[in-house]
Amino acid sequence: MKRHELVTKILNETAIKDRFIAYVKEDTQAVPGSETFPSSPKQKNLGKKLVDELERLGMQNVEMDENGYVYAKLPSNCGKKTRIAFIAHMDVAADCAGEGVNPQIHENYDGSAINLKNGIVISPEDSPHLKECIGDTVITSDGTTLLGADDKAGIAAIMSMVEYLNKHPEIQRPEIRVCFTPDEEIGRGVDFINIEKVDADFAYTLDGGFPYEVNYENFNAFSAVVKFKGISIHPGYAKDKMVNAIRYAGKFIDMLPKDMSPERTESREPFIHPINVSGGSEEVTVSMILRSFKLEDIEDEKKIILDAIEKVKAEEPKLNIEHEFKQSYLNMYEVLKDKMHIYKYVEKAIKDLGEEPNVVPIRGGTDGSRLSFMDLPCPNIFAGGVDFHSQKEWVALENIALASAVTIKIIENAE
Ligand SMILES: [Zn+2]
């Protein structure tokens, strides 16, 4: 990849490489189902190190609170009025071993397959972005663990931005806030965030993949539970009396449109996804998740479910059917559509670096979507990593620097 001069400067003038290596070596794996917060106390070990580093870099109001959230502030050095926060998460996923990460540095990557322990191979055929990183410093694990670029690349990019701003007081900056969060990977990343301490007009998470990915849309997520209550009776004496809930639950599931399923949709297409069926002949509970980018589509999905319920009921009036819909999270675009200047800063920053943003809708949720509904509008920016949550995870150091460069350009362009 051709390299913008700002990226070269970040690589030369900051400790971006050493800090990324140090962060991934720190075990911060989240523990699904844990009763504590953070889900694993070891996440605070990285938190403490980040606090020390932020203090060394001259940030103010640096603290880690009892829940493991790290906050810091860099005051404006000019008359700019905006307050911008940059957020990344400290934990790594539990999908794959995360302890004892032994990062491998492939300097001046030559475009060939990378062979790691346990027969793990990262090849340009499986991971085509590798071809775009020939000549770069590609970093992988040794094949026995994940790497943790998700999201330690984001932390390294933000920290290096702070270091760079320190070395370049001539860059006129608004007030900057930094926040590092625990437990994103188990969906609890903003459960205990203190929005007053973040204290910004808007924020960016640096938790996306390859350059120049940007996300300002995510799924609207709802759940639906439908309970089929039949009539149970001794099967030997059941004629004209028994109502077997299993038969009607099966009919109901069969009526859900098969083309509107996760396995047959992509991009902005909505789906209804049955995730659990439980019960017996007397009572069956069917649980589903509903996903779409437009709220109108969620209403259509609810109608599909209600129509199917009506049809089943018409067939067997003695059957009792109850249903419940619940909202899980919403598309951050509902908030951001009226505040697109927040995205425009990212677009301008990437264009200033001579590139075009790759806007991708997220078929899932992000911490940024929850933050956006907590009065902190928050799109997501790439942090550089590829093939997250696996032994094949990799990142080019130059792409972490690129993420850092985007934040610096946002800061330069902010008003
Ligand atoms: Zn992440």
Side-chain angles (χ1 to χ4, degrees):
M1 237 183 220
K2 66 179 189 309
R3 219 166 281 166
H4 190 275
E5 144 200 48
L6 177 57
V7 175
T8 308
K9 280 183 168 175
I10 293 165
L11 290 167
N12 292 340
E13 296 177 25
T14 73
I16 190 163
K17 179 174 162 188
D18 292 344
R19 64 169 56 101
F20 176 70
I21 297 293
Y23 301 161
V24 298
K25 282 183 177 169
E26 195 72 51
D27 175 16
T28 58
Q29 201 159 36
V31 177
S34 163
E35 307 263 296
T36 64
F37 198 93
S39 66
S40 52
K42 59 192 173 187
Q43 293 180 52
K44 286 188 175 175
N45 299 340
L46 177 58
K48 273 181 212 132
K49 290 188 177 168
L50 295 174
V51 164
D52 289 347
E53 196 176 348
L54 289 162
E55 279 173 347
R56 277 203 305 279
L57 290 172
M59 299 268 307
Q60 299 181 359
N61 302 31
V62 182
E63 69 160 302
M64 177 169 66
D65 71 9
E66 70 277 14
N67 293 311
Y69 290 82
V70 174
Y71 304 92
K73 163 181 155 177
L74 186 66
S76 171
N77 60 357
C78 60
K80 290 184 176 182
K81 288 280 177 284
T82 320
R83 297 162 309 148
I84 308 178
F86 295 93
I87 300 172
H89 67 87
M90 297 181 284
D91 62 310
V92 299
D95 308 55
C96 171
E99 195 186 342
V101 174
N102 180 15
Q104 305 293 301
I105 300 164
H106 312 269
E107 302 265 6
N108 199 5
Y109 170 65
D110 64 3
S112 62
I114 299 172
N115 292 291
L116 304 175
K117 280 186 188 167
N118 293 350
I120 299 284
V121 181
I122 307 178
S123 70
E125 287 72 43
D126 296 340
S127 201
H129 282 311
L130 266 180
K131 290 193 198 109
E132 296 167 62
C133 299
I134 292 173
D136 287 353
T137 300
V138 170
I139 305 176
T140 66
S141 77
D142 65 3
T144 62
T145 64
L146 48 67
L147 174 64
D150 175 13
D151 187 23
K152 287 159 182 173
I155 302 179
I158 292 170
M159 203 64 98
S160 302
M161 169 268 283
V162 173
E163 186 184 3
Y164 190 86
L165 291 178
N166 250 329
K167 291 192 168 143
H168 291 272
E170 76 280 6
I171 296 175
Q172 300 206 330
R173 58 173 196 252
E175 187 173 305
I176 312 284
R177 298 284 177 157
V178 167
C179 179
F180 300 129
T181 61
D183 280 340
E184 189 273 350
E185 297 290 359
I186 54 170
R188 306 196 60 192
V190 298
D191 278 11
F192 296 101
I193 198 166
N194 187 329
I195 292 289
E196 275 92 61
K197 275 187 191 162
V198 179
D199 197 26
D201 299 317
F202 53 86
Y204 301 97
T205 45
L206 271 82
D207 192 18
F210 199 72
Y212 296 87
E213 185 188 327
V214 186
N215 324 98
Y216 55 76
E217 295 166 88
N218 61 280
F219 269 147
N220 291 298
F222 285 70
S223 63
V225 175
V226 181
K227 270 198 177 109
F228 298 83
K229 292 184 177 171
I231 298 170
S232 170
I233 197 155
H234 189 292
Y237 309 92
K239 187 161 191 302
D240 299 329
K241 290 180 191 147
M242 180 189 276
V243 177
N244 186 341
I246 296 174
R247 297 194 186 278
Y248 296 98
K251 281 191 181 186
F252 168 81
I253 294 167
D254 197 48
M255 280 182 211
L256 299 175
K258 287 164 195 66
D259 285 339
M260 214 190 229
S261 60
E263 59 271 36
R264 294 199 191 163
T265 51
E266 60 183 355
S267 181
R268 287 184 174 77
E269 294 169 333
F271 64 70
I272 301 173
H273 177 39
I275 50 166
N276 191 269
V277 180
S278 63
S281 60
E282 189 173 10
E283 183 176 317
V284 175
T285 302
V286 179
S287 305
M288 289 154 281
I289 59 171
L290 282 50
R291 297 288 185 269
S292 86
F293 287 94
K294 289 189 207 149
L295 273 175
E296 304 96 87
D297 289 343
I298 293 281
E299 291 311 310
D300 289 347
E301 293 184 331
K302 287 182 183 171
K303 197 168 174 304
I304 288 169
I305 290 171
L306 294 173
D307 286 351
I309 290 174
E310 282 315 307
K311 280 185 191 145
V312 174
K313 242 185 195 162
E315 215 174 300
E316 177 48 88
K318 283 186 279 185
L319 186 72
N320 188 330
I321 309 180
E322 291 170 4
H323 71 271
E324 190 182 23
F325 297 114
K326 263 193 199 156
Q327 177 187 306
S328 307
Y329 54 85
L330 292 174
N331 185 350
M332 62 174 138
Y333 187 65
E334 296 297 324
V335 174
L336 290 170
K337 66 185 175 192
D338 300 323
K339 299 177 175 165
M340 283 305 275
H341 63 282
I342 300 169
Y343 162 69
K344 291 283 173 198
Y345 279 128
V346 187
E347 185 184 69
K348 170 100 171 58
I350 292 175
K351 286 186 172 182
D352 284 355
L353 296 170
E355 299 293 338
E356 289 295 324
N358 173 25
V359 175
V360 179
I362 305 174
R363 288 177 72 81
T366 70
D367 278 351
S369 69
R370 286 176 68 196
L371 290 171
S372 295
F373 288 93
M374 291 162 83
D375 233 12
L376 187 67
C378 185
N380 185 38
I381 302 175
F382 69 91
V386 180
D387 295 336
F388 292 163
H389 303 192
S390 87
Q391 290 97 336
K392 295 191 177 191
E393 189 184 4
W394 63 274
V395 66
L397 182 65
E398 288 75 6
N399 290 341
I400 308 177
L402 207 41
S404 201
V406 170
T407 63
I408 292 165
K409 283 289 174 194
I410 290 171
I411 288 162
E412 275 182 1
N413 294 332
E415 281 149 26

